[in-house]
Amino acid sequence: EDFEFNFAQPPVEPAPIALSVSVHLQPGEGGARPTAQVLVKSTFSLPVERGWPRDTNSEDEVARMMRDTLSDRLPRFAAEHLGLQLQGA
């Protein structure tokens, strides 16, 4: 049985990280506690060897999966690290 192997292309050079953070404080209404909206945006890339058989995701699919994972886990990690309590989490 012949085995055909396609060697991976050289890794793509990673792009530099771009990070921006903004915080908006809202006063509490009707005696409620004030709230803070923290928005973190980051752009980064990972050096990935393209061409392996398992590599079937498009760039958009990879970005979407990373976005979903980070948006789920980052607030929980930050809250636990800072001793904060998340509402609706």
Side-chain angles (χ1 to χ4, degrees):
E1 185 175 303
D2 288 337
F3 176 73
E4 192 173 317
F5 182 79
N6 295 324
F7 287 97
Q9 299 172 9
V12 176
E13 188 68 29
I17 294 175
L19 181 67
S20 66
V21 178
S22 65
V23 178
H24 299 283
L25 298 174
Q26 302 291 330
E29 295 183 17
R33 300 177 98 181
T35 59
Q37 178 185 26
V38 180
L39 179 63
V40 179
K41 293 182 183 179
S42 64
T43 303
F44 61 94
S45 66
L46 300 173
V48 176
E49 291 188 41
R50 308 295 286 179
W52 291 93
R54 69 178 187 281
D55 186 11
T56 59
N57 296 317
S58 69
E59 292 176 5
D60 288 341
E61 290 170 324
V62 172
R64 194 170 23 260
M65 285 187 286
M66 291 180 73
R67 178 202 63 204
D68 293 346
T69 301
L70 284 172
S71 65
D72 177 63
R73 295 188 180 128
L74 185 60
R76 297 169 195 270
F77 169 80
E80 183 177 321
H81 180 72
L82 298 172
L84 302 172
Q85 190 174 29
L86 294 177
Q87 291 182 336

